[in-house]
Amino acid sequence: MRVIVTVVEKITSEAHIDIPDALNKSAMKQHIVDRYNTGEMVTDMNIFQVDFESISARIVPEQSSTKSA
């Protein structure tokens, strides 16, 4: 019997970055999004928490390998 198991986890990551002092709240958000979208933040991010969301299993019927001629 084959079973496909799916595990869903929520991963919380934390990044410590420097942003310019003169930015307002909206500009800070945009700066962070831009850093993330360009891939600059990915190497900075550290996973510090993983929460288990759900697990499910699906039984996959095995197909017969014998074929009639």
Side-chain angles (χ1 to χ4, degrees):
M1 174 186 331
R2 249 182 57 192
V3 177
I4 297 173
V5 177
T6 303
V7 177
V8 178
E9 298 172 334
K10 180 176 75 174
I11 298 173
T12 304
S13 298
E14 184 177 272
H16 297 257
I17 61 171
D18 293 319
I19 56 174
D21 292 331
L23 299 179
N24 63 26
K25 189 174 181 178
S26 177
M28 281 187 229
K29 288 180 181 180
Q30 188 60 52
H31 181 79
I32 293 167
V33 168
D34 291 344
R35 293 262 324 257
Y36 180 80
N37 287 339
T38 60
E40 292 177 56
M41 197 184 306
V42 174
T43 57
D44 294 343
M45 299 190 74
N46 297 308
I47 296 174
F48 71 92
Q49 180 178 342
V50 177
D51 294 320
F52 176 77
E53 293 279 317
S54 67
I55 187 168
S56 62
R58 179 171 44 111
I59 297 172
V60 179
E62 293 188 30
Q63 297 181 0
S64 174
S65 60
T66 57
K67 297 180 180 179
S68 56

